[in-house]
């Protein structure tokens, strides 16, 4: 890049944000070894929520509480490694890391004929006040890159968040019962989203993009709104599934 950039790299050699090892010239933010260490989900996984299963086509959770979206694909399970990546990308504005993660998500989409034939990509929106504070919407960064790689157009101003919500992770306390947690998360995002322009989604097969799917409450709520506006089918793609 610039002389100053080279000089600073010489004085303060960049190190991997995960393992702290010095980075090679072709590595950015995270070393290749750490990046390749993301535990990618491999079959068998649930045909609905993407979670690894013992071989069943649809997991018990999805049989008991079916999701609104037809299918979800997740790059990784939300363990320690995926959490480090998501937090790095989201909270420290390591946006280029988001692009790298998005390129892996795009590969998953391309491998899935059904989802790859979708009409549009829509990022899960955040409230405009949160966006102003944070400066970016992490889902939009993922969706933009996925759209570029897959050629599926992204629409970004149609699904909007109209109600301010608590961060879903604030309902993850271990003292809370699993069902109570799920209920609180569902209630938190209830009526939080709306479709501004139904024409843009009418009769469309849509991929909704988010960073993490925990109970699926946010993605279910977005899907419900998209169906209400006339969407034909809704799928979801995320970095990590809890
Ligand atoms: Zn590393
Ligand atoms: Zn499932």
């Amino acid at each position: 890049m610039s002389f100053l950039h080279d000089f600073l790299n010489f004085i303060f050699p960049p190190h991997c944000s995960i393992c702290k090892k010095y980075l090679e010239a072709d590595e950015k933010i995270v070393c290749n070894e750490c990046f390749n260490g993301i535990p990618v989900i491999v079959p068998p996984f649930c045909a609905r929520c993407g979670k690894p299963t013992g071989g069943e086509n649809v997991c018990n959770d999805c049989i008991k509480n079916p999701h609104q979206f037809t299918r979800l694909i997740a790059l990784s399970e939300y363990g320690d490694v995926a959490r480090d990546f998501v937090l790095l990308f989201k909270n420290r504005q390591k946006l280029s890391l988001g692009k790298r993660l998005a390129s892996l998500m795009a590969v998953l989409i391309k491998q899935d004929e059904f989802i790859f034939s979708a009409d549009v990509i829509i990022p899960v929106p955040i409230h405009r006040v949160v966006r102003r504070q944070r400066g970016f919407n992490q889902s939009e960064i993922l969706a933009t890159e996925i759209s570029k790689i897959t050629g599926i157009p992204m629409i970004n101003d149609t699904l909007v968040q109209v109600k301010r919500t608590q961060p879903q992770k604030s309902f993850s306390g271990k003292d809370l019962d699993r069902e109570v947690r799920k209920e609180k998360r569902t209630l938190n995002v209830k009526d939080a989203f709306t479709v501004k322009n139904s024409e843009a989604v009418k009769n469309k097969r849509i991929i909704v993009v988010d960073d993490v799917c925990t109970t699926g409450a946010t993605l279910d709520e977005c899907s419900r709104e998209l169906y209400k506006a006339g969407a034909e089918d809704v799928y979801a793609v995320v970095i990590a599934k809890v």
Side-chain angles (χ1 to χ4, degrees), residues 16-21 23 29-35:
C16 170
S17 297
I18 306 262
C19 72
K20 311 299 174 206
K21 182 189 95 174
L23 292 177
I29 300 167
V30 171
C31 74
N32 289 338
E33 204 182 321
C34 285
F35 191 77

Side-chain angles (χ1 to χ4, degrees), residues 4-203:
L4 181 66
H5 179 85
D6 290 346
F7 179 70
L8 287 175
N9 275 357
F10 179 73
I11 306 286
F12 309 108
H15 58 263
C16 170
S17 297
I18 306 262
C19 72
K20 311 299 174 206
K21 182 189 95 174
Y22 287 125
L23 292 177
E24 302 293 331
D26 65 331
E27 296 174 334
K28 250 184 170 173
I29 300 167
V30 171
C31 74
N32 289 338
E33 204 182 321
C34 285
F35 191 77
N36 294 331
I38 298 175
V40 174
I41 294 177
V42 290
F45 49 78
C46 172
R48 298 296 303 275
C49 74
K51 221 168 33 187
T53 63
E56 314 85 271
N57 188 32
V58 176
C59 77
N60 278 336
D61 283 347
C62 287
I63 292 172
K64 261 194 279 170
N65 302 302
H67 288 289
Q68 297 293 316
F69 48 85
T70 308
R71 281 174 61 187
L72 175 141
I73 36 181
L75 180 62
S76 180
E77 270 192 280
Y78 195 68
D80 293 346
V81 181
R83 192 188 53 229
D84 283 349
F85 275 91
V86 170
L87 290 180
L88 260 180
F89 159 49
K90 198 160 139 177
N91 297 346
R92 292 171 57 187
Q93 301 213 13
K94 309 277 188 193
L95 303 187
S96 67
L97 184 61
K99 286 189 183 176
R100 265 166 99 186
L101 292 166
S103 67
L104 296 182
M105 293 159 86
V107 170
L108 294 181
I109 293 174
K110 283 177 142 181
Q111 281 169 351
D112 190 311
E113 228 175 282
F114 188 68
I115 294 186
F116 189 34
S117 64
D119 301 302
V120 288
I121 294 178
I122 296 184
V124 167
I126 54 177
H127 194 271
R128 61 187 162 76
V129 175
V130 177
R131 201 207 148 94
R132 207 180 308 131
Q133 286 163 353
R134 194 186 291 161
F136 68 101
N137 171 4
Q138 68 279 4
S139 305
E140 189 185 318
I141 289 162
L142 297 171
T144 305
E145 192 65 16
I146 293 172
S147 169
K148 245 190 250 168
I149 298 169
T150 58
I152 306 169
M154 175 178 85
I155 44 176
N156 195 19
D157 45 2
T158 293
L159 182 67
V160 289
Q161 186 174 339
V162 282
K163 181 183 100 175
R164 275 202 75 173
T165 52
Q166 301 290 320
Q168 289 289 58
K169 65 172 189 282
S170 54
F171 306 111
S172 57
K174 288 203 166 54
D175 46 325
L176 286 179
D177 176 73
R178 191 163 177 263
E179 286 306 309
V180 175
R181 269 199 313 244
K182 195 168 176 218
E183 214 179 284
K184 282 186 181 280
R185 284 168 182 260
T186 305
L187 209 64
N188 184 38
V189 293
K190 190 174 185 306
D191 302 324
F193 303 97
T194 193
V195 172
K196 274 202 323 198
N197 169 18
S198 349
E199 279 312 305
V201 299
K202 206 168 168 186
N203 301 323

